[in-house]
Amino acid sequence: MNLFPWQVFADNPQSSQTIALRSSQGDLFTWADVAQKINQTAAFLQQRGITPQSTVAFCAKNSEAILFLYLASLQCGAKIIGLNPAFPQQRIDQFCREYGVDLCLRHEDLANISECPLAKLEEADFLRPATMTLTSGSGGQPKAVLHNMQAHLDNARGVCQLMQFHAMQSWLLSLPLYHVSGQGIVWRWLVCGAQLHFPQTDFYASLLQATHVSLVPTQLQRLLDYLARYPQSEVKTRHILLGGAHIPVALTQAIRTYGITPYSGYGMTEMASTIFAKVSDDKPGVGQALLGREFQLVNDEIWLKGAGLAMGYWKNGEILPLINESGWLQTKDKGLWQNDELVVVGRLDNMFISGGENIQPEEIEKTILQSGLVKQVFVLPKADAEFGARPVALTAFHEQFSERAVEKLRIFLQTHLARFKQPVAYYPLPDLHQGGIKISRKTLADWLLQHIES
């Protein structure tokens, strides 16, 4: 009988009593404990009528109960989808209808799961539809990407190989489970039989207790601020995987002084998380394709297949293909092969034309971040009668937004960017995160239209 990864570790006498999980309260769970909690949650789901034909949703931030629900759903043979709890209820209801959700659970629904026997143990089928993950929807309406367990495991192996992650180490669950990057952490844990740590009250103190961490660049900046504030902190962390945005070289150089190796990665939901990664250096690329991934550049567009590729998009009870006739995923990301590594230039659908010149917003954003004056920036087109469109910047400075801060940035860009690429206006970056990892460019464009251009 095929076993699920957690069952393999729980059934093996050599691993069943080793520590598998550290909770947000600091409690320790062995692999046997984890398997028991998953069984308990699976029995709860069966009592609620969940079968291998069902789809379960969770709408919550990370917790042990949500992790057990995620894995118990798979153990029942059901599909699982995570929804951002910051979404308005109307949107959650819409997603549940659209993706055929039979049961949508929040934290409070899992508070009192009692001990009861499993009605039926499902055999692990690694190729059946397992998880649905919403894309970030940065270009508009998100899609539900359907993966089987094998794709998650295949993706995880490449990351573990690069980052020397093994059974004697730990990874912090620092990113949300409703996002593919959070799920990637879970599957690396399951591939290696290592430890999974949940952040405790002090996030950065918890972070420093795990050997491996996944962060977005703003979190890395906060970690450096924390270490400067608490220089006596014990640092067990050895490896940090960075992604989700441009990664300033100054940050990666600063974290090295603590004996931590930073890695720069490129990933996407359709490939079950990280695809390319390397030890961070001063070059703009993301290294080479990890174990089992294949890629090619076609008219500057990155095409992908191999380890981690999804089964398709799930819509109205059907699997819609995400590959083209040649079997490749066309990412709509523009890339270059430079110095024996991939450089991701930006989204092809973000590019716009200004006075006959092609403008790639991500190129301008990277240059702005190199100034050291800015925490986060988005460059968008603003309609212009003469040029068709001109670039403007929505900016979060390290200091308070002011004309003085803008002027310092303007002076920097005069010697670092071609005149036609320099933003013609700057606005404070609005807080439109809605609890997610990424801000949607479409949301920002809508905001710009409503608040600035009206």
Side-chain angles (χ1 to χ4, degrees):
M1 180 174 173
N2 282 340
L3 297 176
F4 292 90
W6 50 93
Q7 294 172 330
V8 172
F9 298 123
D11 286 3
N12 185 334
Q14 291 185 306
S15 55
S16 67
Q17 295 307 309
T18 61
I19 301 303
L21 188 151
R22 177 186 285 180
S23 79
S24 53
Q25 303 301 310
D27 299 326
L28 301 178
F29 291 74
T30 65
W31 281 107
D33 296 333
V34 166
Q36 184 188 7
K37 288 287 187 183
I38 294 168
N39 283 345
Q40 207 173 322
T41 310
F44 163 80
L45 290 174
Q46 287 179 345
Q47 282 182 326
R48 300 288 295 268
I50 295 303
T51 71
Q53 285 70 50
S54 303
T55 299
V56 178
F58 64 88
C59 186
K61 293 181 178 179
N62 289 357
S63 69
E64 296 80 18
I66 293 298
L67 173 69
F68 298 144
L69 173 66
Y70 176 87
L71 299 175
S73 300
L74 303 182
Q75 190 169 297
C76 290
K79 296 186 292 296
I80 179 81
I81 183 169
L83 301 174
N84 184 341
F87 287 154
Q89 187 59 47
Q90 188 178 358
R91 200 168 184 209
I92 290 166
D93 294 341
Q94 177 201 334
F95 282 136
C96 287
R97 283 192 302 273
E98 194 171 335
Y99 302 124
V101 170
D102 299 286
L103 185 62
C104 182
L105 298 167
R106 295 179 179 268
H107 276 300
E108 52 270 27
D109 302 315
L110 302 166
N112 297 304
I113 295 180
S114 56
E115 289 279 357
C116 56
L118 272 167
K120 185 188 175 195
L121 274 173
E122 289 294 323
E123 185 173 351
D125 178 353
F126 291 93
L127 300 179
R128 72 176 291 139
T131 66
M132 289 191 283
T133 311
L134 294 181
T135 59
S136 62
S138 55
Q141 185 66 14
K143 298 174 182 173
V145 180
L146 184 68
H147 279 101
N148 55 36
M149 286 192 291
Q150 194 61 53
H152 285 295
L153 292 165
D154 289 345
N155 179 288
R157 284 190 184 93
V159 180
C160 294
Q161 181 189 66
L162 174 75
M163 294 182 64
Q164 304 152 49
F165 186 58
H166 54 71
M168 303 306 291
Q169 295 175 321
S170 52
W171 206 304
L172 185 77
L173 188 56
S174 52
L175 299 167
L177 263 177
Y178 53 76
H179 194 278
V180 76
S181 55
Q183 293 175 58
I185 296 168
V186 169
W187 291 99
R188 291 165 212 151
W189 166 60
L190 292 173
V191 157
C192 296
Q195 285 187 27
L196 185 69
H197 288 189
F198 278 80
Q200 297 178 47
T201 309
D202 186 331
F203 178 86
Y204 291 99
S206 307
L207 185 160
L208 295 172
Q209 294 301 302
T211 62
H212 288 65
V213 185
S214 301
L215 297 177
V216 294
T218 49
Q219 290 175 312
L220 179 59
Q221 179 62 65
R222 287 175 195 151
L223 172 61
L224 286 164
D225 295 344
Y226 181 92
L227 287 165
R229 210 161 52 246
Y230 302 104
Q232 302 306 314
S233 300
E234 182 189 23
V235 180
K236 292 184 180 175
T237 310
R238 289 292 168 263
H239 304 268
I240 294 181
L241 178 61
L242 298 162
H246 171 66
I247 301 147
V249 172
L251 290 186
T252 58
Q253 288 176 338
I255 202 64
R256 285 177 186 280
T257 62
Y258 295 94
I260 297 171
T261 303
Y263 299 77
S264 302
Y266 162 63
M268 61 193 310
T269 306
E270 286 85 349
M271 292 292 288
S273 192
T274 310
I275 310 155
F276 284 74
K278 67 169 185 182
V279 174
S280 302
D281 55 24
D282 59 356
K283 296 186 180 67
V286 289
Q288 305 206 3
L290 299 182
L291 180 72
R293 287 81 156 156
E294 296 178 57
F295 85 102
Q296 58 177 333
L297 293 174
V298 181
N299 298 323
D300 292 337
E301 183 180 19
I302 302 167
W303 287 18
L304 299 168
K305 66 179 179 181
L309 182 65
M311 301 174 77
Y313 298 113
W314 183 261
K315 190 161 188 185
N316 299 326
E318 290 185 330
I319 302 176
L320 305 181
L322 48 66
I323 54 175
N324 62 21
E325 291 174 354
S326 309
W328 291 87
L329 170 67
Q330 295 181 227
T331 64
K332 296 183 183 170
D333 284 332
K334 183 178 180 180
L336 305 170
W337 190 253
Q338 211 172 67
N339 301 320
D340 204 31
E341 66 173 347
L342 179 69
V343 177
V344 182
V345 178
R347 296 285 296 172
L348 288 166
D349 46 12
N350 287 343
M351 195 177 77
F352 62 93
I353 296 172
S354 179
E357 300 279 3
N358 287 344
I359 303 277
Q360 190 70 50
E362 293 90 340
E363 179 198 352
I364 302 172
E365 290 160 7
K366 285 179 184 177
T367 305
I368 289 173
L369 287 166
Q370 284 164 10
S371 70
L373 301 168
V374 166
K375 286 187 286 190
Q376 199 171 14
V377 61
F378 287 86
V379 171
L380 297 170
K382 183 172 186 269
D384 184 272
E386 183 182 356
F387 291 90
R390 299 298 300 276
V392 300
L394 302 180
T395 313
F397 286 99
H398 286 296
E399 61 181 86
Q400 198 166 2
F401 189 98
S402 66
E403 192 49 52
R404 179 173 164 273
V406 168
E407 188 54 32
K408 282 196 281 187
L409 182 54
R410 284 189 202 275
I411 292 166
F412 172 84
L413 293 180
Q414 282 170 8
T415 55
H416 289 80
L417 264 185
R419 182 80 180 269
F420 69 90
K421 293 179 182 176
Q422 293 173 26
V424 296
Y426 294 83
Y427 306 104
L429 179 65
D431 184 10
L432 302 173
H433 259 103
Q434 283 203 312
I437 291 179
K438 296 181 184 177
I439 301 177
S440 156
R441 281 183 191 269
K442 183 180 184 305
T443 304
L444 287 173
D446 291 345
W447 180 89
L448 185 69
L449 200 63
Q450 188 180 342
H451 288 80
I452 308 300
E453 298 190 16
S454 53

